[in-house]
Every structure is written in structure tokens, then in C-alpha cells.
């Protein structure tokens, strides 16, 4: 079986959103949106990978694919829940009202409807796509409750003996909203409430709502949140929230953070790990496919797992202890760095200092962490070539991970993260580098 380390990549062809991220029966399962025929978006399936440590991933056969009238044109994003020893996968089921004659994987005029469905698995590895599916929430025909097309991405959780579902939606494709359903058995669902906000894009996708201690954290991916003509206009954000389970009343502030300030990341999903930490993984968008020796041309990859914590009213995304332990061997001065394997740079910058990673430049300017990928992203001028965080208040401790086509920068212990997709990094480093670290298994 195909394997990935640190960052899960498409097994070939296309992937996007992480789905069904869960720790189940001693393994981490991560499903993902997958088009298995070309490195472009198409009829969605759920790909599947497992890991014992969140670092080493093994790709498995496709888990969920279209078989029903209601999901014939796509198994869109969703989540996972363990109940009575079974793994329940919840997803959005897509049916085109008219198919593009020149490309059956697209709806003509973007005309389709979406319902919510589920599939059971008794062990997390076997999925009967003909017998074990069930449509649980039909297409909404009442606009006041939910949009018939753009209501999707169910995140399901259990709290105090009840099951809750949050769905992303829209009001007439002009303002994002989320919709809440509730169930006593995780199968039969009733509409409860919704949140309408004016600052969360035109369509709100991939919502997630969870507790960390006494805090509630909301994550979501609003479309057209940065409507300035540059790619990408759709981005993942997070905010502290107030939520009343009995009524499903949600309150979100006007102020939010981006999950990642490189703005390539989209569609995040969280899970509780084996030790009770809240862990998040997100999809890194790529404008073009990559050629590889171990798989067919591929497009799309996931971030490394990040621990979500709340400190003094701020949401942190920290390096997971498993990653920290794995990327822990310090290179000595006489050891050579293998640029084809993942490596890690730790440094503390001053305002006049920089790090250059094969043409990708990281520096501090006016108390802001900045990154310039213009030399390693040359053919995509309509994309954002520079990225920056909010002000860092005079502290510039950086933990940088480099792995093929991705660079992730954790600033000040995860107060902000800035990640970018890159192409054609040169095999050279320069600037202020305090420490270079590689995988512990290389000892």
C-alpha cells in the first residue's frame, strides 16, 4: 500500500477536503474528497487513509462512492462518529438536475441539489455502499430553513446523551449561515435552529464546533471572504463562540482569526486524539499537479496535524507532540541534509534577519512575519505570492517544517501559523538558522 509521512498527499489524481477524521479502535482514520480519475476536481468519492501516530499514513481503497439516486453525482464532505462500536460516516449527497454533456462530472449550469446521508461500518475498513447507506435529511425545500443546493458538510458530535449536527449553508448565495439538527439516536434528525451572520462570506462551508475546556471554538470556510480578485478568495477561519445545546443558539463575534495566514489552506476538520487533545487537519490547495515516481500525477495535500488550544482568548494551532517527537534529530555541523526528505528549522529572528529556504524567503517587517514565495511559485501570478501574519509583539520564534511542496511556519508556539504551497525549491538554505532537525527514525 502507498504510504505518506507527516503530510498526507493525494494517492494520485485529486484530493480536497478532509472528511471523517476520527480516532477509532486504536487507529486514526482520515477520509478525504477524492476524484480517482484525473488530477482535477470531479465526481467526489471518499478516499481513506489510516495512521497509528498521526505521522505515518497508509492509503487504503476508496471507502465511499456514488451508488444511490440521491448521491449519484458525488459524496461531498462530512464527518465520523463512533456509536455502539460502529463507525458512522455522515456526508452530503449530491444529485445533478442536469448533466454537462461534455463533462458528466459537472452539473450543467451548476444546477444540483444536496441532501444528507450516512453509511455504517462495523470495523472502519469495510463499507457496503449498496446496503449500508441511508438518506437522513432530504433536500431542503424551505429556503427559510436551508438552501436546496448549498447546504452541506455535516459535522456530527455527541454531547450529554444527544447528537448534534452543524451544516454549512447560505441565504440566497449572498450570506453564509449554519444550520443545526439534533437526534436522540444519531439516525433520525430534526431541525432545531440556525445562525445567520453577515461577516462569514456568501456560502459557509465545512463548519466545525467543539469545546476546549470551558471555551467553544467555531471553525468554518466562508466563500468569498477575501473578494479582491486574487486566489484564493475562499478561506478557513476560526473564532471563539457561545453555544447553547438545548436551543442550538450560536453566537459568533465580528472578529475572527484565519486558521492559517498563508491563505492556501481551506476546509479544516478536527478530532480528539488518543490523549484527549483537539487536533485539526486542513486541505492545502494546489494550482497545478505534481509528478512523482511513486504515484500518478497528483494534486492536493493535507497539513500536518495541529493541536488546537485556547489561551487568553486567543486560538492557538500548535505542533502535535507526535510530530515534535518524530522531527527531533538535530543535525550536527558535519552531517548533510537530505533535501528530498522532510526537515525542520528552528530559529529566533530579529527584524533585520531572514531565512531563505531554496528561494522561499521568511522575514520580519514592522513586527509582522512575512513570507515571499515569488521565486518558487513563478507561473501563478494571480495567486498571492506574499503572506503575512498579524503583529507579533516583538517575539519572533519560528518552527518551520519543509516537506516537498509545503512549508509550514509556526510562530511563537502556534500563536499564528503561515503555510504555503511551493514548487521547485532549490536545495540550499541561507540566513539565520539556529537548528536543523530531521526525522528521529534516521538515527
Amino acid at each position: 500500500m502507498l504510504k505518506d509521512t507527516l503530510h498526507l498527499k493525494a494517492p494520485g489524481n485529486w484530493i480536497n477536503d478532509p472528511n471523517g477524521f476520527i480516532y477509532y479502535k486504536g487507529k486514526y482514520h482520515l477520509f478525504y474528497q477524492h476524484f480517482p480519475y484525473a488530477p482535477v476536481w470531479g465526481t467526489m468519492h471518499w478516499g481513506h487513509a489510516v495512521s497509528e501516530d498521526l505521522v505515518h499514513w497508509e492509503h487504503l481503497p476508496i471507502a465511499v462512492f456514488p451508488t444511490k439516486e440521491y448521491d449519484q453525482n458525488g459524496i461531498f464532505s462530512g464527518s465520523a462518529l463512533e456509536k455502539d462500536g460502529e463507525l458512522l460516516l455522515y456526508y452530503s449527497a449530491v444529485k445533478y438536475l442536469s448533466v454537462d454533456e461534455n463533462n458528466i462530472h459537472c452539473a450543467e449550469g451548476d444546477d444540483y441539489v444536496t441532501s444528507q446521508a450516512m453509511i455504517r461500518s462495523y470495523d472502519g475498513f469495510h463499507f457496503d455502499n449498496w446496503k449500508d447507506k441511508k438518506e437522513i435529511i432530504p433536500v431542503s425545500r424551505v429556503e427559510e430553513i436551508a438552501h436546496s443546493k448549498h447546504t452541506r458538510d455535516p459535522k456530527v458530535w455527541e454531547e450529554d446523551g444527544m447528537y448534534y449536527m452543524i451544516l454549512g449553508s447560505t441565504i440566497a448565495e449572498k450570506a453564509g449561515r449554519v444550520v443545526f439538527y439534533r437526534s436522540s439516536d444519531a439516525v433520525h434528525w430534526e431541525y432545531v435552529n440556525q445562525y445567520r451572520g453577515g461577516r462569514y462570506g456568501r456560502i459557509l462551508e465545512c463548519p466545525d464546533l467543539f469545546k476546549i475546556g470551558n471555551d467553544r471554538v467555531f471553525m468554518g470556510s466562508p466563500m468569498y471572504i477575501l473578494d479582491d480578485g486574487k486566489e484564493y478568495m475562499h478561506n478557513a477561519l476560526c473564532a471563539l463562540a457561545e453555544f447553547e445545546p438545548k436551543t442550538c443558539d450560536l453566537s459568533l463575534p465580528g472578529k475572527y482569526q484565519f486558521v492559517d495566514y498563508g491563505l492556501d489552506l481551506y476546509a479544516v476538520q478536527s478530532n480528539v486524539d488518543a490523549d484527549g487533545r483537539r487536533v485539526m487537519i486542513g486541505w492545502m490547495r494546489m494550482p497545478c499537479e505534481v509528478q512523482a515516481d511513486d504515484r500518478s500525477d497528483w494534486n492536493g495535500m493535507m497539513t500536518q496535524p495541529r493541536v488546537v488550544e485556547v489561551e487568553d482568548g486567543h486560538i492557538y494551532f500548535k505542533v502535535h507532540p507526535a510530530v515534535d517527537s518524530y522531527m527531533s534529530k538535530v543535525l550536527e555541523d558535519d552531517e548533510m541534509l537530505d533535501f528530498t526528505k522532510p526537515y525542520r528549522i528552528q530559529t529566533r529572528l530579529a527584524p533585520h534577519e531572514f531565512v531563505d529556504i531554496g528561494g522561499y524567503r521568511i522575514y520580519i517587517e514592522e513586527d509582522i512575519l512575512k513570507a515571499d514565495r515569488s521565486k518558487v511559485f513563478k507561473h501563478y501570478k494571480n495567486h498571492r505570492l506574499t503572506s503575512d501574519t498579524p503583529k507579533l509583539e516583538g517575539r519572533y520564534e519560528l518552527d518551520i517544517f519543509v516537506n516537498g511542496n509545503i512549508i509550514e511556519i509556526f510562530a511563537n508556539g502556534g500563536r499564528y501559523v503561515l503555510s504555503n504551497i511551493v514548487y521547485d525549491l532549490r536545495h540550499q538554505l541561507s540566513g539565520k538558522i539556529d537548528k536543523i532537525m530531521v526525522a528521529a527514525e534516521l538515527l
Side-chain angles (χ1 to χ4, degrees):
M1 283 290 184
L2 184 65
K3 296 181 180 181
D4 285 323
T5 301
L6 197 59
H7 298 92
L8 186 77
K9 302 186 294 188
N13 301 308
W14 172 273
I15 69 170
N16 53 287
D17 307 7
N19 300 151
F21 184 30
I22 192 171
Y23 184 69
Y24 174 71
K25 293 187 176 180
K27 289 185 182 292
Y28 295 96
H29 292 253
L30 182 63
F31 303 85
Y32 50 83
Q33 295 284 273
H34 181 41
F35 184 59
Y37 309 123
V40 297
W41 189 93
T43 301
M44 287 292 102
H45 300 49
W46 273 27
H48 187 194
V50 295
S51 173
E52 294 184 354
D53 60 3
L54 290 171
V55 174
H56 300 86
W57 292 95
E58 179 180 345
H59 288 273
L60 298 178
I62 290 170
V64 192
F65 51 87
T67 54
K68 303 295 183 181
E69 184 269 345
Y70 53 83
D71 72 7
Q72 62 185 276
N73 298 113
I75 311 297
F76 277 26
S77 292
S79 58
L81 177 77
E82 180 178 1
K83 185 177 185 293
D84 300 328
E86 294 184 341
L87 183 64
L88 309 182
L89 301 182
Y90 298 87
Y91 65 93
S92 291
V94 171
K95 177 185 176 181
Y96 294 165
L97 299 180
S98 181
V99 175
D100 186 334
E101 293 182 357
N102 294 313
N103 182 359
I104 63 168
H105 298 290
C106 294
E108 185 177 29
D110 200 34
D111 194 10
Y112 62 91
V113 292
T114 307
S115 61
Q116 315 309 320
M118 64 180 291
I119 184 171
R120 296 176 180 269
S121 174
Y122 300 99
D123 60 2
F125 294 95
H126 298 89
F127 302 88
D128 191 326
N129 281 267
W130 287 269
K131 294 181 179 179
D132 292 333
K133 286 180 178 176
K134 179 180 178 66
E135 187 179 45
I136 53 176
I137 301 176
V139 176
S140 174
R141 302 301 180 184
V142 181
E143 172 65 24
E144 187 66 20
I145 293 178
H147 197 273
S148 62
K149 177 168 68 173
H150 295 302
T151 299
R152 51 181 171 261
D153 311 336
K155 178 62 188 286
V156 175
W157 75 97
E158 184 273 332
E159 185 169 341
D160 296 331
M162 293 294 292
Y163 298 92
Y164 297 86
M165 177 189 294
I166 183 173
L167 289 157
S169 191
T170 180
I171 302 170
E173 301 186 46
K174 295 180 180 179
R177 64 172 158 176
V178 295
V179 181
F180 290 97
Y181 284 78
R182 186 165 52 205
S183 172
S184 60
D185 62 3
V187 178
H188 301 90
W189 297 85
E190 62 174 356
Y191 168 77
V192 183
N193 208 342
Q194 63 182 263
Y195 169 81
R196 298 184 174 208
R199 298 199 61 210
Y200 291 87
R202 301 182 201 170
I203 302 169
L204 187 52
E205 296 191 304
C206 304
D208 198 351
L209 184 64
F210 50 86
K211 292 182 72 174
I212 298 179
N214 294 323
D215 295 299
R216 296 261 185 186
V217 175
F218 172 82
M219 296 195 300
S221 295
M223 300 181 71
Y224 305 101
I225 196 73
L226 293 174
D227 200 353
D228 60 0
K230 287 283 188 181
E231 295 288 355
Y232 297 99
M233 295 183 287
H234 319 318
N235 274 279
L237 53 80
C238 59
L240 294 181
E242 294 182 4
F243 179 69
E244 173 49 60
K246 291 182 180 180
T247 59
C248 289
D249 279 320
L250 175 68
S251 176
L252 295 177
K255 183 180 180 181
Y256 53 77
Q257 303 169 217
F258 286 110
V259 172
D260 191 294
Y261 284 84
L263 302 182
D264 286 345
L265 181 147
Y266 190 73
V268 297
Q269 188 164 106
S270 75
N271 165 42
V272 176
D273 72 7
D275 296 311
R277 304 179 193 90
R278 177 62 58 168
V279 182
M280 181 276 297
I281 286 179
W283 167 48
M284 293 294 288
R285 296 169 286 192
M286 306 179 73
C288 129
E289 67 270 20
V290 177
Q291 294 180 333
D293 294 331
D294 64 340
R295 67 196 77 195
S296 61
D297 291 358
W298 62 275
N299 189 316
M301 64 189 306
M302 302 300 175
T303 65
Q304 63 176 278
R306 303 174 184 179
V307 178
V308 188
E309 295 183 0
V310 178
E311 298 179 13
D312 298 324
H314 183 86
I315 302 168
Y316 282 71
F317 296 95
K318 299 185 176 184
V319 177
H320 193 279
V323 174
D324 193 49
S325 177
Y326 177 69
M327 300 295 294
S328 61
K329 181 183 185 299
V330 179
L331 280 187
E332 304 298 334
D333 291 340
D334 59 345
E335 292 182 287
M336 297 294 293
L337 177 63
D338 184 349
F339 288 98
T340 67
K341 299 181 185 295
Y343 60 94
R344 178 182 190 181
I345 297 170
Q346 291 182 336
T347 190
R348 183 196 297 262
L349 290 185
H352 61 281
E353 294 173 327
F354 70 93
V355 177
D356 192 300
I357 304 171
Y360 181 88
R361 191 175 181 89
I362 303 166
Y363 57 101
I364 304 297
E365 186 177 281
E366 298 180 348
D367 199 39
I368 292 171
L369 170 66
K370 297 195 173 187
D372 184 340
R373 62 175 171 182
S374 57
K375 293 183 179 179
V376 291
F377 211 79
K378 295 180 180 179
H379 303 297
Y380 311 105
K381 300 300 183 183
N382 197 46
H383 285 70
R384 303 176 198 279
L385 300 181
T386 59
S387 304
D388 51 75
T389 67
K391 289 183 179 294
L392 294 177
E393 300 176 357
R395 180 182 166 214
Y396 314 121
E397 295 178 4
L398 306 183
D399 202 350
I400 307 164
F401 293 81
V402 186
N403 189 9
N405 291 87
I406 186 172
I407 297 177
E408 293 178 283
I409 310 166
F410 294 77
N412 296 343
R415 183 171 181 84
Y416 300 110
V417 186
L418 190 163
S419 306
N420 280 137
I421 290 295
V422 295
Y423 294 91
D424 302 320
L425 287 178
R426 299 190 300 273
H427 291 171
Q428 61 188 52
L429 304 174
S430 62
K432 173 72 161 34
I433 297 173
D434 295 337
K435 187 188 298 183
I436 298 177
M437 308 170 77
V438 295
E441 66 185 20
L442 298 179
L443 285 168

